[in-house]
Amino acid sequence: TAPTPRRSGVRAITLRPPGNLSALGQILQQMPLQVENLTSIPLELDILQPLKRQELLSLGQQQLETTINELQALRITPAQLPENCLSIVGEMWRSLSLIFFGKYCQPKSEFSLEQIQSLLEVYQPIICREKLIKIPFVVPLFHHLLFADPLVVNQKAYPLGSPEAKQYSDLYAQNLVIQLANSTMVFILNYFADHEAIKLALYEHSMLSSRQVARFRNDLAWYYQFSRYWLNPKQIFESQHTLLYLTPAGIVATQVYAPRQQELAQLRAVPWFVTIVLECRDALSPRVRSVIEFLGNGVVFLLTQVVGRAIGLVGKGIIQGIGNTWQESRNQQKRSN
């Protein structure tokens, strides 16, 4: 099996960032303290204080740089990378979580770093299965950064250093860092959500009460289920991925095309049924619209040509009747005079 990156321990290792990741570091340096979530997607990062949110993203960027340097030093081969990529990302998550927890969250009187490491080790397979495996374009990104392979986007190969390769590698790297940071907060929310010292150290002031924390976790849980049974099947069927990236204003989302036929063939139960519903909707919508348009035109014709004329005739008769009555009244008045 391929070697995996060593654990970083409590302190981040500062190395010269690879050239392809420099843009991410520049964005984080230029970013204002309020790293706002500008998407409609609820993120685990939303509960953090602005400075802690920015710090976690910065640590995630450092962890990605460290991992790339370590993999280069370990001389991992292109053939070894795909089958070991998930374990590599899992190690990145564990190191990032330990660094962040050790720096901000460690209640020294209650937990030791050894205990936190044990919890992370137990939780790593779960977070890999539920979160990390779903991060797209990690293997192409690592191939591009480690072996200078062209980055293939929409069946076009962009060589290392080209504007298109830089644009998409930055996008993939930023999405990876943001999702690693979110996954770190998943661990904290699952194990230490109501721990008072951790809440005071990390959470925004408006999120300190147990009720607000419970509401935040419930909103995330609902979104997970909504994604599992609707959004993810819909995106697979539409051959798209949603990627998060950083701007000076905050975190935004974009849709990126990618073939997903293999994932589509593996859908079962409710997610599979969702694709059938979408296909039926696509097939029926033009016909239903045509029928509605036809019926609408018929109703308009009926109202204007038939009912409208009938109303017009009735109105004309009423006016004529009023006129005749008025004329007869005048004649009677003249005769009486």
Side-chain angles (χ1 to χ4, degrees):
T1 60
T4 55
R6 61 182 176 83
R7 300 176 191 172
S8 302
V10 178
R11 293 170 32 194
I13 301 173
T14 304
L15 297 174
R16 185 175 62 85
N20 289 347
L21 295 178
S22 58
L24 178 59
Q26 291 172 3
I27 290 172
L28 287 169
Q29 290 173 4
Q30 297 169 4
M31 187 174 295
L33 297 181
Q34 296 287 343
V35 185
E36 296 184 13
N37 176 11
L38 303 179
T39 75
S40 59
I41 304 169
L43 302 178
E44 293 82 356
L45 287 169
D46 293 343
I47 199 172
L48 288 175
Q49 300 168 19
L51 282 175
K52 302 300 188 295
R53 196 179 306 145
Q54 187 185 47
E55 181 69 16
L56 180 55
L57 290 170
S58 181
L59 289 171
Q61 181 230 352
Q62 294 174 29
Q63 191 59 47
L64 177 56
E65 295 168 358
T66 298
T67 298
I68 295 298
N69 281 282
E70 290 180 338
L71 289 173
Q72 288 173 334
L74 291 169
R75 299 184 182 277
I76 189 171
T77 66
Q80 291 174 317
L81 182 59
E83 63 184 24
N84 289 279
C85 191
L86 183 58
S87 63
I88 292 170
V89 175
E91 286 293 324
M92 291 172 61
W93 166 81
R94 178 155 57 172
S95 295
L96 175 60
S97 300
L98 190 61
I99 293 167
F100 188 66
F101 199 91
K103 188 169 185 179
Y104 292 115
C105 312
Q106 185 196 3
K108 297 179 173 58
S109 60
E110 299 181 41
F111 300 101
S112 66
L113 286 179
E114 289 74 17
Q115 289 174 310
I116 301 304
Q117 277 188 310
S118 299
L119 287 175
L120 289 168
E121 190 168 351
V122 171
Y123 199 64
Q124 184 171 344
I126 300 173
I127 203 71
C128 284
R129 182 178 66 248
E130 297 297 327
K131 292 284 286 185
L132 303 183
I133 197 173
K134 299 174 184 178
I135 303 175
F137 305 117
V138 178
V139 174
L141 173 66
F142 279 13
H143 269 287
H144 185 69
L145 297 178
L146 288 169
F147 312 116
D149 288 351
L151 204 59
V152 179
V153 181
N154 295 335
Q155 297 185 343
K156 294 182 180 179
Y158 298 110
L160 182 70
S162 64
E164 295 83 359
K166 188 177 186 305
Q167 174 188 353
Y168 279 98
S169 64
D170 284 346
L171 177 61
Y172 298 165
Q174 290 178 48
N175 182 68
L176 174 57
V177 167
I178 293 170
Q179 296 299 351
L180 283 170
N182 281 327
S183 299
T184 293
M185 288 309 301
V186 170
F187 168 74
I188 293 174
L189 287 169
N190 280 342
Y191 281 95
F192 308 102
D194 274 323
H195 195 284
E196 198 62 30
I198 291 172
K199 289 198 297 183
L200 291 173
L202 291 182
Y203 299 174
E204 287 201 81
H205 182 73
S206 61
M207 301 297 295
L208 291 178
S209 72
S210 297
R211 180 181 180 183
Q212 290 299 327
V213 173
R215 179 182 294 175
F216 183 79
R217 295 181 66 191
N218 288 334
D219 288 345
L220 286 174
W222 181 89
Y223 183 78
Y224 293 159
Q225 297 303 316
F226 181 61
S227 297
R228 168 182 266 178
Y229 293 115
W230 177 258
L231 290 182
N232 289 340
K234 183 174 181 289
Q235 287 205 328
I236 290 173
F237 194 40
E238 294 174 348
S239 301
Q240 288 184 337
H241 287 287
T242 298
L243 300 184
L244 303 174
Y245 66 100
L246 298 165
T247 68
I251 298 173
V252 296
T254 186
Q255 303 291 329
V256 176
Y257 168 81
R260 306 186 70 175
Q261 286 87 352
Q262 184 177 356
E263 295 171 86
L264 184 62
Q266 294 173 349
L267 292 178
R268 298 290 183 271
V270 175
W272 172 83
F273 181 71
V274 166
T275 64
I276 299 301
V277 170
L278 291 171
E279 187 173 1
C280 291
R281 187 184 69 177
D282 293 341
L284 295 176
S285 289
R287 284 80 187 173
V288 172
R289 281 197 297 268
S290 298
V291 171
I292 293 174
E293 184 178 355
F294 174 77
L295 293 176
N297 291 335
V299 170
V300 170
F301 176 82
L302 182 65
L303 291 175
T304 56
Q305 301 300 319
V306 179
V307 178
R309 287 185 177 183
I311 293 174
L313 291 174
V314 171
K316 185 177 181 181
I318 292 172
I319 293 172
Q320 287 178 348
I322 293 172
N324 292 336
T325 302
W326 181 74
Q327 187 65 36
E328 289 177 0
S329 298
R330 288 189 62 184
N331 292 335
Q332 288 179 357
Q333 288 178 355
K334 286 180 180 180
R335 284 195 298 268
S336 61
N337 293 332

